[in-house]
Structure formats: structure tokens, C-alpha cells
């Protein structure tokens, strides 16, 4: 445990030097810890983290432009899928979906177990790799995959997580703080396979509308 923590600190310090514009921010350790758990060599773990952060670094910008864009997408997914829930969120002045802020920043790391996190991230990376390989929506239509690859699978999964709790949110919660507490208490309660199934269903139905 001490060795793991020392590696974590050392690699985060190295990243702060490598990327001084972003430096170190709270939440980065959540993203790095699964990487060093599966990679024994620090140099390999560092460059893997650098590659990971190319996609995630906008989550740590001071202006929060990246976070706001992603929260807006989550909000749009919920609005398109469940207008009743969305109207309830509007009533609570929570339609900006700020209550899932942590999920966006650390990519579900605090809500999922280590094994679940690795599973979700690998599916996300597979989608991103498919897009880089040119397997986009047109190709998807020809080969009839269950859901087209998307750069925003994480956001569909977050929206799915909220939608799974729609009844609870609508019937019992009367403030954004209550929804936030619910979201922050999900650790260990999520079924990652159901989450991915629901997320892919949302992608199938909404990918051309978001």
C-alpha cells in the first residue's frame, strides 16, 4: 500500500512538471490509480497516463469549459429520453446536471469498483479506437452493430445512471442537494453491465439527436 501510494505521488508530480498548464488537480489520482495497479513499470505507467490525460485533461481546466460541455450533453440526453424527469430537474433548478460533476471528472471511478472501472474504461476506449479507425456511424449502419461507436459513451452511461433512478428522483427528491447526495452514495451499488446496456440503448436511440 505504501509503495502504491509512493508511486502515485511520484507519477503525479512528474505529470505536473510535464503539463504545467494543468499541473496537479484533485481527481487525477482516481484516474492514475487503476493504471499503476496494472502496470509495474513507472515509465510505462507515466506515458499511459499522459495518453489518458490527452482525452481527460479538459476536465481539469480552471475555466471548466470541458466539464460544462459534458454536463450539457448529459442534460440533453435526459431531456430527449425522459421529458418528465427533465421537467422535474428544471423545477429543482438542476437541469444543468451539476449533481453528476464528480462522475464526469473522474470517469465513474468513485462509483465503481476497480474491476468495474477497468471494464467501463476499456469499452470507452474501444469506442474511441473504433472512431479513430474510421468505424463511424455510416459503417455502423452497414454492419449493424448494437450501438455505433461514440466519443461520449461515458456521458451516455452517466445519463443512464440518472435515468435508472428517475422514480426516486421524481417522487422523493425536492432539491438538487438531495440528488447530489444520492449520486455521491452510489459507490458499490451499480451494475456496470446494466449500465453499459442502458447506455448503448441510449446511443442507439439518440446518437443522431444529441
Amino acid at each position: 500500500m505504501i509503495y502504491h501510494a509512493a508511486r502515485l505521488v511520484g507519477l503525479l508530480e512528474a505529470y505536473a512538471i510535464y503539463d504545467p498548464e494543468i499541473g496537479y488537480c484533485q481527481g487525477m489520482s482516481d484516474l492514475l490509480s487503476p493504471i499503476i495497479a496494472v502496470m509495474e513499470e513507472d515509465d510505462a505507467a507515466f506515458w499511459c497516463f499522459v495518453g489518458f490525460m490527452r482525452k481527460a485533461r479538459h476536465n481539469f481546466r480552471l475555466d471548466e469549459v470541458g466539464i460544462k460541455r459534458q454536463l450539457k450533453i448529459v442534460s440533453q440526453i435526459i431531456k430527449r429520453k425522459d421529458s418528465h424527469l427533465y421537467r422535474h430537474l428544471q423545477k429543482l433548478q438542476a437541469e444543468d446536471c451539476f449533481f453528476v460533476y464528480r462522475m464526469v471528472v473522474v470517469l465513474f471511478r468513485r462509483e465503481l469498483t476497480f474491476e468495474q472501472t477497468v471494464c467501463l474504461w476499456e469499452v470507452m476506449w474501444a469506442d474511441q479506437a473504433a472512431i479513430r479507425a474510421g468505424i463511424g456511424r455510416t459503417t455502423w449502419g452497414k454492419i449493424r452493430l448494437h450501438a455505433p461507436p461514440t466519443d461520449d459513451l461515458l456521458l451516455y452511461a452517466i445519463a443512464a445512471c440518472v435515468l435508472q433512478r428517475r422514480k426516486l428522483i421524481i417522487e422523493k427528491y425536492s432539491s438538487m442537494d438531495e440528488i447530489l447526495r444520492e449520486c455521491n452514495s452510489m459507490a458499490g451499488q451499480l451494475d456496470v453491465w446494466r449500465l453499459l446496456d442502458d447506455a448503448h440503448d441510449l446511443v442507439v436511440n439518440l446518437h443522431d439527436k444529441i
Side-chain angles (χ1 to χ4, degrees):
M1 182 65 72
I2 294 175
Y3 174 65
H4 180 90
R7 290 184 69 203
L8 196 67
V9 171
L11 288 169
L12 289 172
E13 287 177 343
Y15 183 79
I17 295 170
Y18 175 83
D19 187 355
E21 180 185 359
I22 297 297
Y24 167 76
C25 300
Q26 185 177 3
M28 285 184 178
S29 59
D30 292 283
L31 303 184
L32 177 58
S33 58
I35 294 174
I36 65 174
V38 299
M39 304 189 77
E40 295 182 358
E41 299 296 328
D42 282 352
D43 56 344
F46 174 77
W47 289 113
C48 183
F49 184 62
V50 168
F52 192 5
M53 285 298 293
R54 289 195 186 106
K55 296 289 292 185
R57 73 188 297 275
H58 60 271
N59 287 353
F60 301 98
R61 287 177 48 143
L62 290 176
D63 60 14
E64 297 190 327
V65 169
I67 290 291
K68 290 174 181 176
R69 181 195 73 82
Q70 293 174 90
L71 292 177
K72 184 177 180 180
I73 291 174
V74 173
S75 177
Q76 289 174 340
I77 294 169
I78 293 172
K79 182 179 181 180
R80 290 280 187 176
K81 179 62 178 178
D82 192 330
S83 59
H84 186 192
L85 174 59
Y86 185 78
R87 285 195 299 272
H88 183 69
L89 294 177
Q90 283 184 311
K91 180 181 176 181
L92 304 184
Q93 297 183 321
E95 72 273 17
D96 59 2
C97 292
F98 186 82
F99 50 87
V100 298
Y101 185 99
R102 187 179 77 180
M103 295 181 190
V104 173
V105 172
V106 298
L107 286 69
F108 261 127
R109 179 64 191 95
R110 297 190 189 180
E111 288 72 34
L112 300 175
T113 66
F114 172 80
E115 292 78 10
Q116 289 175 324
T117 299
V118 171
C119 173
L120 175 65
W121 288 4
E122 286 185 345
V123 175
M124 287 167 42
W125 293 336
D127 263 23
Q128 292 163 7
I131 290 172
R132 289 196 300 272
I135 304 176
R137 293 172 183 174
T138 302
T139 306
W140 166 74
K142 294 176 181 177
I143 61 180
R144 297 184 179 277
L145 293 174
H146 176 60
T150 172
D151 267 326
D152 294 321
L153 183 60
L154 171 74
L155 307 181
Y156 283 94
I158 290 172
C161 181
V162 176
L163 289 162
Q164 286 174 3
R165 286 157 175 76
R166 69 175 304 279
K167 189 173 187 293
L168 183 67
I169 292 171
I170 292 172
E171 294 182 358
K172 293 192 175 181
Y173 294 154
S174 57
S175 72
M176 190 183 78
D177 286 344
E178 290 178 315
I179 303 174
L180 179 62
R181 282 195 293 272
E182 172 68 23
C183 290
N184 288 346
S185 66
M186 289 180 185
Q189 300 180 32
L190 296 174
D191 180 337
V192 71
W193 296 112
R194 182 187 171 201
L195 197 64
L196 283 168
D197 282 345
D198 288 355
H200 281 132
D201 285 343
L202 289 171
V203 174
V204 168
N205 292 315
L206 300 175
H207 72 274
D208 57 348
K209 300 180 178 69
I210 301 299

